[in-house]
Amino acid sequence: MFRTARTALTALAALSIAFAAHAQEPFEVDGMQFGMPEAEVFTEPYDGPPVVGPGLSMAPFLSPLEHEGTTTHEVRIDTFAADIEIAPGVRFASWSYGGAVPGPVLHVREGDRVIFTMKNRSDETVVVADPEQEGSDFLTQLAEFNPQSVQEAVAPMPHSMDFHSGTVAANDKWRTIAPGESIRFEWVANYPGTYIYHCGTPMVLMHTAMGQYGLVVVSPKDGFPTDAQVDREYVVVQSEFYLTRGGNGGFQFDAQAAMNKNPSHVVFNGHRNALSDRPLEADVGDRVRIHFLNVGPSDTSTFHVIGAIFDVVYYEGDPRNDMYAMQSVLVGAGMGAVVEFIVPEAGEYYLVDHEFADKEKGAVGVLRAE
Amino acid sequence: MTARTLRSARPRSDRSRPTRTALGALAATILATFASSAFAQEAASAPGATDRIAIPGGTFETVLVLDAAEVAVAPFALAATPVTNAAFLAFVEARPNWGRDAVPSVFANAGYLAHWAGTTELGSAPAAAPDLPVTHVSWYAAASYCDWVGGRLPTEYEWEYVAGAGARRDVAQAVAQFAWYSSPEASVRPVGQGAPNPFGVHDLHGLVLEWVHDFETVLPGEDDGTPFGLGCGAAARLTTGNDLADQVALMRHVVRMNFVAERGSSRLGFRCAFDAPGNGE
Ligand SMILES: [Cu+2]
């Protein structure tokens, strides 16, 4: 009886798909590819590593591109709650991509295709920071460094994934999925850049402030003009947290502060001390490249390195957007930049948001040169 | 401090669904067929059948612009607390075809009652304590339980009418509701603790999400391609204002539309409603 019922449902569902599908024939403009297959929402028993695929690292690291030309990446980043520390003594149950905030850095090349899978595991506990766990460099690095002292948490919640690096119909690809559901969709990195990805589920301010964001680096297909001179390459992600003391000894989201754009913490790479406990390293004379993303969710960043001048800035990470001799670069919420500077002498170089209230709230890091 | 959080959940059967009414009717038919042979009226002795709160009818202000400004709710009765593990165990013992080893996957998937030690054994997992709200139950199982005790799941409007009593525009409470969403783990505790709301109902805030009856009847899903999909840019159109009370109300609607009917969740329980107002059998 139940088999019959299921069949009837399936037949009706198939009929519905025939009417509902917005099948888009692929087309090209100037070599860029548009028209992706329809997103697929499904359930799967998957309980494996939450971050799987090549080119996935934990900031400040950037995975090198191993391929020539363009390729297709199969990438999984699951979303689930994770109890994290974002400043000494300040822990909260974040909503994460992959178990840390920010989520994994994804590195692809202009023209690459990404087949992306995400399971909403927000109502289960997911193990991260396990040295035995394989799946991506991100998980290995998280287990080794774990600047946020990640612990398991549960917070069932619908979520979604919006890659700014993709050009697609958002109501299809970026759609919200329930706890226990998975989504799979494709996008092509048509433009080089330094792109945010984030959850787009209402209240989007809360979902991003709770930690659902990360960085996609789309390297230009012909490279940057300065590629040959670069000695060090790092990733710095700035983001705001809006926390207040909760009733159970920890911290929790402060909705009023978020609406008032009054963050309690503004940090680089997810922790006030992430780049102080473990400074970026360089040698005197090095040309250092930083892929910088300002997540926001609501505030700008005037990114500056004390004692250095940006020899070149590729605004939004596109080599055509070159600017020179910049003391700082102003980066809006959900924007990025590639900056390069020369290390003039041995010493410590502080990375700051030159909007000093944000710096005092934690937006500071160190590059140490010997 | 107890986080007080509005929350309810409305099931969704399948992304690739036919028209809502068609599927809703079909699902209801299947459910009735599945359950009817099992129906004896045991409501009087069943756990969860007692402690019903008579709710007088009335109207309330809805949170969605696309709804009418005021919604009328007829008199009904609502269980004072969510259904507990112990109560649901009694149901499974009485109706073995709702045991996790027997239920067809169209009605409850692999996660159904997974926190219990066995089909008819709660065991020692913290979430399986007898007086905690039962979770990991599908919409179908929840609906069938309520049928078993002579009731039904509350409608969305019934639930919201009671849960929002006196608090619709209370920004302080909205802030507290956000707190529950940002840390729901802090809420795991037995049912019935804390002060009742103005109707005398417990745990509508700050414990678990709850299934309601409505089968995708109120708010279209964004997968339908409607302009009211709950994507990043569309959400602002749905609220009547820009204050926190509206934002938290919107979150409830998002949560409401996003659970799969055959799948439960670790913070998703339910309570039953009853057509005839009364105070127990
Ligand atoms: Cu989200």
Side-chain angles (χ1 to χ4, degrees), chain A residues 79 95 97 120 157-161 176 198-204 206-208 210 212:
Chain A
T79 184
W95 300 348
Y97 289 119
N120 182 342
M157 189 59 53
H159 293 301
S160 58
M161 173 62 97
T176 295
H198 66 89
C199 182
T201 300
M203 172 190 188
V204 67
M206 180 175 185
H207 284 251
T208 47
M210 288 292 287
Q212 288 189 293

Side-chain angles (χ1 to χ4, degrees), chain A residues 1-2 5-6 8-9 12-14 16-17 20 22 41-43 83 92-95 119-120 122-125 152-158 162 170-171 174-181 198-204 206-207 210 246-248 251-256 259, chain B residues 1 12-19 22-23 26-27 30 33-34 104-107 109 136 140 171 174-176 178-186 209 222-225 230-233 235 242-244 247-248 250-251 254-255 258-260 262-268:
Chain A
M1 178 183 70
F2 305 118
R6 177 49 119 182
L9 280 169
L12 275 173
S16 153
I17 287 172
H22 314 285
V41 175
F42 57 101
T43 56
D83 192 82
F92 82 110
S94 74
W95 300 348
K119 182 176 184 179
N120 182 342
S122 60
D123 66 345
E124 55 179 290
T125 54
E152 294 170 1
V154 170
M157 189 59 53
D162 170 345
N171 61 312
W174 309 160
R175 73 173 84 163
T176 295
I177 58 171
E181 283 189 313
H198 66 89
C199 182
T201 300
M203 172 190 188
V204 67
M206 180 175 185
H207 284 251
M210 288 292 287
N248 56 335
F251 284 74
Q252 62 196 21
F253 178 65
D254 184 340
Q256 194 73 67
M259 291 291 274
Chain B
M1 174 186 137
R12 184 191 50 214
S13 171
D14 190 285
R15 280 288 178 183
S16 309
R17 84 182 73 80
T19 67
L23 180 58
L26 187 54
I30 296 167
T33 309
F34 180 58
S105 61
V106 290
F107 293 137
N109 73 3
H136 297 287
Y140 298 103
V171 171
V175 170
F178 274 106
W180 184 87
Y181 280 110
S182 72
S183 192
E185 283 184 298
L209 301 160
E222 57 195 310
D223 46 321
D224 294 302
L230 285 169
C232 181
N242 291 311
D243 62 14
L244 286 168
Q247 293 291 351
V248 78
L250 178 62
M251 280 187 69
V254 175
V255 172
N258 262 291
F259 284 86
V260 183
E262 61 270 27
R263 187 184 187 281
S265 191
S266 58
R267 295 293 182 276
L268 175 54

Side-chain angles (χ1 to χ4, degrees), chain B:
Chain B
M1 174 186 137
T2 302
R4 293 178 61 80
T5 304
L6 280 177
R7 65 281 177 273
S8 69
R10 191 154 52 89
R12 184 191 50 214
S13 171
D14 190 285
R15 280 288 178 183
S16 309
R17 84 182 73 80
T19 67
R20 262 176 227 98
T21 37
L23 180 58
L26 187 54
T29 305
I30 296 167
L31 187 62
T33 309
F34 180 58
S36 60
S37 63
F39 276 164
Q41 288 304 314
E42 301 182 23
S45 60
T50 53
D51 295 332
R52 301 174 189 178
I53 307 296
I55 307 294
T59 60
F60 71 102
E61 181 192 0
T62 63
V63 298
L64 296 176
V65 171
L66 65 160
D67 287 340
E70 293 241 315
V71 169
V73 173
F76 69 108
L78 187 65
T81 60
V83 175
T84 61
N85 281 308
F88 203 81
L89 176 62
F91 166 64
V92 170
E93 285 172 335
R95 295 289 169 260
N97 52 3
W98 283 103
R100 71 186 190 191
D101 58 350
V103 68
S105 61
V106 290
F107 293 137
N109 73 3
Y112 175 59
L113 299 176
H115 60 311
W116 288 10
T119 299
T120 54
E121 183 190 352
L122 297 183
S124 57
D131 52 357
L132 257 57
V134 66
T135 55
H136 297 287
V137 286
S138 70
W139 180 88
Y140 298 103
S144 223
Y145 175 96
C146 288
D147 220 346
W148 181 64
V149 298
R152 55 176 174 75
L153 289 171
T155 67
E156 171 185 348
Y157 285 147
E158 286 171 341
W159 193 95
E160 185 168 3
Y161 174 59
V162 179
R168 166 71 183 88
R169 310 303 306 180
D170 184 339
V171 171
Q173 177 160 317
V175 170
Q177 289 162 6
F178 274 106
W180 184 87
Y181 280 110
S182 72
S183 192
E185 283 184 298
S187 72
V188 178
R189 55 174 168 73
V191 305
Q193 296 185 345
N197 86 346
F199 284 112
V201 179
H202 292 265
D203 301 327
L204 288 160
H205 307 284
L207 188 54
V208 287
L209 301 160
E210 295 181 16
W211 285 119
V212 296
H213 170 78
D214 309 46
F215 216 100
E216 283 275 319
T217 50
V218 177
L219 196 66
E222 57 195 310
D223 46 321
D224 294 302
T226 70
F228 295 109
L230 285 169
C232 181
R237 301 177 57 185
L238 293 168
T239 52
T240 52
N242 291 311
D243 62 14
L244 286 168
D246 279 315
Q247 293 291 351
V248 78
L250 178 62
M251 280 187 69
R252 271 164 41 221
H253 277 264
V254 175
V255 172
R256 186 168 351 215
M257 72 178 294
N258 262 291
F259 284 86
V260 183
E262 61 270 27
R263 187 184 187 281
S265 191
S266 58
R267 295 293 182 276
L268 175 54
F270 71 101
R271 75 179 69 216
C272 302
F274 304 86
D275 279 336
N279 292 299
E281 305 294 321

Side-chain angles (χ1 to χ4, degrees), chain A residues 34 45 81 97 139 161 179 195 213 228 233 252 262 273 293 308 321 337:
Chain A
F34 299 96
Y97 289 119
L139 292 176
M161 173 62 97
Y195 293 104
Y213 48 77
E233 195 162 12
Q252 62 196 21
N262 182 24
N273 293 345
L293 174 74
N321 302 336

